[in-house]
Amino acid sequence: MTEIPSRSAPIEAWITGIGLATSLGEGLDAHWDALNQRRINADENSFAPYVVHPLAPVNFDAQIPKKGDQRQMEAWQRIGTYAAGLALDSAGVKGNKDILARMDMIVAAGGGERDLVVDAGILNAEAKGNSAPGFLNERLMNDLRPTLFLAQLSNLLAGNIAIVHGVTGSSRTFMGEEAAGVDAVRIALARIAAGQSDIALVGAAHNGERKDLLLLYEFGDFNLKEKHAPVWTREHHSGFALGSGGAFLVIESRAHAEARGAKPFARLVNVVADHARRKRSGDTTSTLESLWSRLGSRADAAAIVTGATGAEPVTSEERAFLRAHPDIPVRATGTMFGHIMEAQFPLGLAVAALSLSRGSLFAPADSSGQEIDMSKPPAQIVVIGAGHWRGEGMALVEAIG
């Protein structure tokens, strides 16, 4: 283990592995090409009137070789386990039992997927008057999953990553939509900076192709309907388009990475988080400004990658913050990938680190004027995550010369 440093000398943290499986494809080259070619995979028909970004075709056998493992996972777990395997491959630690046995794992997860057949059967029987006394209890006792829950448990993603890939160090699962993704990365960085951890696997996954989720978010009028549009142009037709995808990162101390000869994508400098009072106009804007001031040094070659959702009023409040920094190029992942909830912040970090490693910021995705070209290589990228109704976070990522 690395010697615990003094408080004045935090350990440097590197991003050494990136795993992406999204609506744009799988792997780093496929994503880089898609981003620069401005490709968007949005489905306006399958869940009409709602717009969804479906997962691109993936051969799950490549990272989850046992069919039995795949069968007992719902889609969000397969996506996440697959993306985690890609991150481990990218970092060069896949199959390294010594490192995997002490690798921390921090996952951000939702409530797990429900069994819609069971739900529909219970509701239909109730609606038709076919529910005798004790009917609900009987169905719950007989139809529950082996996990004793009508939805898959949130920590099963971490459990399956441990089983499939052998990541058996400490494990934490955070819940809380977009804010959970921020905290997963924040805690990973804090543990490494304090010398409590050498290496960590951090990330999340989301299956946006779920009728139950679309129903849930429709209750809050959050879904984007009818036509896909860039997040910056949804002010009068607000909403997010749910996306399917997994984003995982391997983050480790510089000393640990150098000792094994790992090549970093970028340096993770700082992660900060807060929780604005969303019912008060302007609070999100001022909270983002406060996080900006706490983030630390930002070179004049900085750029911003944001997980802006397209939902209102938070997107307009974030746009007000961005307009106070008009010369900084911005990219919104929600336009290209859709909104992948817990995974949105890890996704932003992944594409920021990828950009820094490639020496350029990927192409603007829209012509709204919010996203501008960047002529010089970025030295730093700020990643923003503002939840559709709660939680804000920022991260500072730097290029490594």
Side-chain angles (χ1 to χ4, degrees):
M1 290 289 292
T2 305
E3 182 180 355
I4 297 177
S6 68
R7 290 181 180 270
S8 61
I11 293 172
E12 189 172 323
W14 284 1
I15 297 173
T16 56
I18 301 174
L20 290 175
T22 73
S23 61
L24 297 184
E26 64 169 284
L28 303 186
D29 289 339
H31 279 86
W32 190 247
D33 290 343
L35 289 170
N36 284 296
Q37 293 172 22
R38 299 179 173 88
R39 288 205 307 270
I40 296 174
N41 177 17
D43 183 348
E44 300 170 350
N45 300 314
S46 297
F47 298 90
Y50 310 118
V51 181
V52 170
H53 293 250
L55 185 71
V58 166
N59 177 17
F60 287 109
D61 293 353
Q63 293 292 340
I64 314 172
K66 294 182 180 179
K67 292 293 187 182
D69 288 339
Q70 292 185 36
R71 282 194 297 271
Q72 65 85 33
M73 301 182 201
E74 294 291 355
W76 72 288
Q77 291 191 61
R78 289 193 294 271
I79 295 168
T81 304
Y82 190 89
L86 293 176
L88 296 174
D89 271 337
S90 172
V93 296
K94 183 79 175 291
N96 187 323
K97 294 182 179 180
D98 175 61
I99 291 178
L100 296 176
R102 53 187 172 79
M103 175 181 277
D104 288 334
M105 177 164 43
I106 307 180
V107 172
E113 296 194 32
R114 296 186 63 87
D115 190 326
L116 294 186
V117 174
V118 173
D119 288 349
I122 293 173
L123 291 173
N124 286 335
E126 291 276 4
K128 294 176 181 178
N130 296 332
S131 54
F135 165 81
L136 181 58
N137 284 342
E138 179 182 346
R139 290 299 299 271
L140 292 178
M141 290 174 66
N142 292 331
D143 297 340
L144 282 174
R145 297 172 180 271
T147 53
L148 304 181
F149 195 50
L150 273 176
Q152 292 210 341
L153 296 175
S154 301
N155 59 8
L156 285 177
L157 175 53
N160 277 292
I161 292 172
I163 291 169
V164 173
H165 300 304
V167 181
T168 54
S170 70
S171 176
R172 295 163 177 80
T173 294
F174 294 163
M175 295 181 67
E177 295 179 321
E178 298 94 339
V182 175
D183 273 343
V185 179
R186 183 176 64 85
I187 296 301
L189 175 61
R191 286 180 57 80
I192 290 171
Q196 297 171 347
S197 175
D198 289 324
I199 185 168
L201 177 68
V202 187
H206 186 260
N207 175 20
E209 300 160 74
R210 288 172 51 187
K211 293 180 180 179
D212 58 322
L213 275 187
L214 290 166
L215 175 65
L216 173 68
Y217 290 119
E218 182 59 16
F219 288 148
D221 195 27
F222 286 119
N223 293 319
L224 180 66
K225 301 177 182 68
E226 306 299 345
K227 296 293 184 182
H228 177 269
V231 294
W232 307 120
T233 65
R234 300 179 191 173
E235 187 172 0
H236 301 296
H237 300 282
S238 72
F240 50 63
L242 287 179
S244 295
F248 273 81
L249 306 167
V250 173
I251 305 173
E252 61 185 303
S253 70
R254 174 177 179 173
H256 188 274
E258 288 180 334
R260 65 182 189 86
K263 182 180 179 181
F265 289 91
R267 179 186 299 108
L268 180 58
V269 179
N270 196 7
V271 182
V272 291
D274 208 334
H275 193 165
R277 295 178 182 270
R278 289 291 176 85
K279 292 186 178 180
R280 295 199 318 205
S281 177
D283 265 21
T284 300
T285 304
S286 60
T287 297
L288 291 173
E289 199 63 60
S290 174
L291 292 175
W292 181 261
S293 66
R294 290 164 49 193
L295 201 55
S297 173
R298 291 171 301 278
D300 55 7
I304 290 175
V305 171
T306 174
T309 67
E312 293 294 348
V314 62
T315 303
S316 288
E317 295 227 1
E318 182 173 344
R319 189 161 48 237
F321 161 78
L322 294 173
R323 286 172 177 164
H325 306 273
D327 298 327
I328 300 179
V330 176
R331 301 291 184 268
T333 58
T335 297
M336 298 88 76
F337 296 92
H339 190 54
I340 54 177
M341 288 294 167
E342 294 83 7
Q344 198 78 349
F345 194 73
L347 171 66
L349 280 170
V351 297
L354 180 59
S355 295
L356 291 167
S357 71
R358 300 288 174 110
S360 65
L361 186 63
F362 55 91
D366 69 75
S367 57
S368 66
Q370 188 65 62
E371 301 194 8
I372 58 177
D373 287 313
M374 187 172 194
S375 58
K376 56 185 177 181
Q380 298 181 328
I381 295 180
V382 173
V383 178
I384 300 177
H388 65 286
W389 73 282
R390 62 180 176 186
E392 300 77 37
M394 284 189 189
L396 179 61
V397 193
E398 288 183 343
I400 299 176

